[in-house]
Amino acid sequence: KPVTKKFGVSKEKLSYLIDSTAAPICIIAPISSWAAAVAGFVTEGENGISLFCKAIPFNFYALFTILMMIVIVRMNFDYGPMKKFEMALKMATADKDEEELSKIGNGKSIDLVFPIIVLICMCTIGMIYTGGFFASGEEKTSFVDAFAGSDASVGLVIGSMGALLLTLAFYLPRRVLTLKECMQCVPEGFKNMVAPILILTLAWTLKAMTDSLGAAEYIAGIVENSA
C-alpha cells in the first residue's frame, strides 16, 4: 500500500487490479488447484488437463478482463467511480505517504517475489506427489496424469508448509522479519482465509443443490435443442 500511495494509486483501483490478476489468471493457468479440480470432472475419454488447456482460448471472461486491465494501466485512464477516487487521492498531501514509506525497513522486491514463486513450485510438487508422480514401479504416473489425478487438498497443504519453511529460511538470516513477526503472520493468514473458505463452502452447497435438482441436465437439454 505505501508503494501505491507513493505513485498515486487509490486503494479502490488497487483492489480492481488485484482482482483482475487473481481469478482470471487462476482459471486459465494449467498449473493450479482450479485446473486440477476441473480436470477431475472428466471421467472418461480425453485427459482432463489436455481438455482444460484446449478450452483456455474460449475463456473470454478471463482474457478480456486481463486485456482491460492492461489497457487501463498502460493508457493511464480511469472512468466512473474509480476516476472520482483517483482524483481525490491526487489532491491529497503526500506527507503521510512519506512517513509510511520510511517504515518499510530493509525489505526488497525479491522478498515479495521469492515466496510466491516458491509457493507455486512447492504446491505443484505436492500435487504431483499425491498423484503418484514420485511413486516407483507400475504405480508411477506421468506428470500430466499425476496432476490430473492429484488430491489437491493434500497437495496444497504439503506445498504450503514447504513454502512457509523455505520463506522462513529466506527471511530470518537476512533479518527481514524476526521469528516473532513471522509466527504472528500464521494466525493472521488463517483469519484472512475465513471468508474464502465460507465462500467455497456456500458454493459447494449450491452445487450440491443444483445437482440434486438436475439443473445441469435441464440446461443441457435447452441448449442442445436450440443450438
Side-chain angles (χ1 to χ4, degrees):
K1 287 193 291 186
V3 174
T4 55
K5 287 184 177 180
K6 177 183 177 181
F7 290 95
V9 179
S10 64
K11 61 183 181 180
E12 290 79 12
K13 187 169 184 177
L14 175 62
S15 65
Y16 163 73
L17 295 177
I18 292 174
D19 184 68
S20 298
T21 50
I25 296 293
C26 178
I27 62 178
I28 61 174
I31 307 298
S32 67
S33 58
W34 172 262
V38 173
F41 286 109
V42 181
T43 56
E44 59 184 29
E46 192 170 6
N47 181 281
I49 293 295
S50 176
L51 188 62
F52 178 88
C53 292
K54 290 181 179 180
I56 291 176
F58 302 99
N59 199 327
F60 299 117
Y61 156 70
L63 298 177
F64 285 145
T65 299
I66 296 170
L67 178 62
M68 183 68 175
M69 181 204 65
I70 294 174
V71 169
I72 288 179
V73 171
R74 294 296 300 175
M75 298 183 66
N76 193 27
F77 78 92
D78 303 291
Y79 60 93
M82 190 185 297
K83 184 175 182 179
K84 179 183 68 176
F85 290 115
E86 286 289 288
M87 293 298 295
L89 182 66
K90 291 176 181 178
M91 294 174 62
T93 60
D95 296 337
K96 188 177 180 181
D97 303 342
E98 295 298 328
E99 182 181 347
E100 288 192 27
L101 284 168
S102 65
K103 298 178 182 178
I104 290 179
N106 61 340
K108 298 180 179 179
S109 299
I110 189 66
D111 297 318
L112 169 66
V113 177
F114 177 78
I116 296 176
I117 295 176
V118 170
L119 178 64
I120 295 173
C121 294
M122 293 300 295
C123 286
T124 302
I125 293 172
M127 291 175 71
I128 62 175
Y129 169 78
T130 62
F133 182 74
F134 299 105
S136 57
E138 296 181 356
E139 296 181 357
K140 182 178 177 61
T141 59
S142 65
F143 178 87
V144 174
D145 291 336
F147 193 79
S150 65
D151 187 338
S153 59
V154 177
L156 291 176
V157 170
I158 295 174
S160 299
M161 288 301 298
L164 175 61
L165 294 176
L166 288 174
T167 302
L168 291 177
F170 183 66
Y171 282 174
L172 295 178
R174 298 169 52 244
R175 298 185 179 180
V176 176
L177 293 173
T178 64
L179 179 61
K180 181 179 180 181
E181 289 172 330
C182 289
M183 292 300 99
Q184 287 175 341
C185 293
V186 175
E188 286 298 321
F190 279 114
K191 287 191 288 185
N192 290 336
M193 288 304 296
V194 170
I197 289 173
L198 288 175
I199 292 172
L200 286 174
T201 302
L202 294 173
W204 289 328
T205 303
L206 180 62
K207 178 186 179 300
M209 292 181 64
T210 55
D211 285 347
S212 63
L213 293 172
E217 292 79 4
Y218 174 70
I219 295 175
I222 294 176
V223 174
E224 184 180 23
N225 295 329
S226 59

